[in-house]
Amino acid sequence: MSMMDKIKSMLKGHESQADKGIEKTGDMVDDKTQGKYKGQVDTGQEKMRDQFGGGQGQDRPPQP
């Protein structure tokens, strides 16, 4: 079992908490870099949400 499989199994059922962590981390990086890499950070956040099951659901509207 790979490390990604282990992480996914641990996060299963806790997608909203994972999404909050991804959002907080992205905000922290944006703050530290003064928004210089905002586009790249946003792309990374979306890929993490896709990977770990967060993403756009009923409680998360699409981002512009």
Side-chain angles (χ1 to χ4, degrees):
M1 179 179 266
S2 73
M3 184 60 99
M4 289 299 285
D5 291 335
K6 290 180 183 180
I7 292 171
K8 285 181 185 180
S9 68
M10 288 187 329
L11 292 175
K12 193 170 191 153
H14 303 284
E15 289 85 5
S16 65
Q17 290 174 330
D19 188 50
K20 287 179 188 177
I22 292 167
E23 189 66 31
K24 267 187 156 178
T25 303
D27 291 345
M28 182 193 69
V29 172
D30 281 338
D31 188 44
K32 293 283 185 181
T33 62
Q34 299 172 346
K36 186 175 180 180
Y37 303 104
K38 184 163 179 47
Q40 290 90 338
V41 171
D42 289 344
T43 301
Q45 285 176 308
E46 289 303 316
K47 289 185 181 198
M48 291 294 288
R49 286 186 187 107
D50 291 344
Q51 191 74 17
F52 295 114
Q56 298 170 356
Q58 297 171 343
D59 60 334
R60 184 169 180 79
Q63 292 184 347

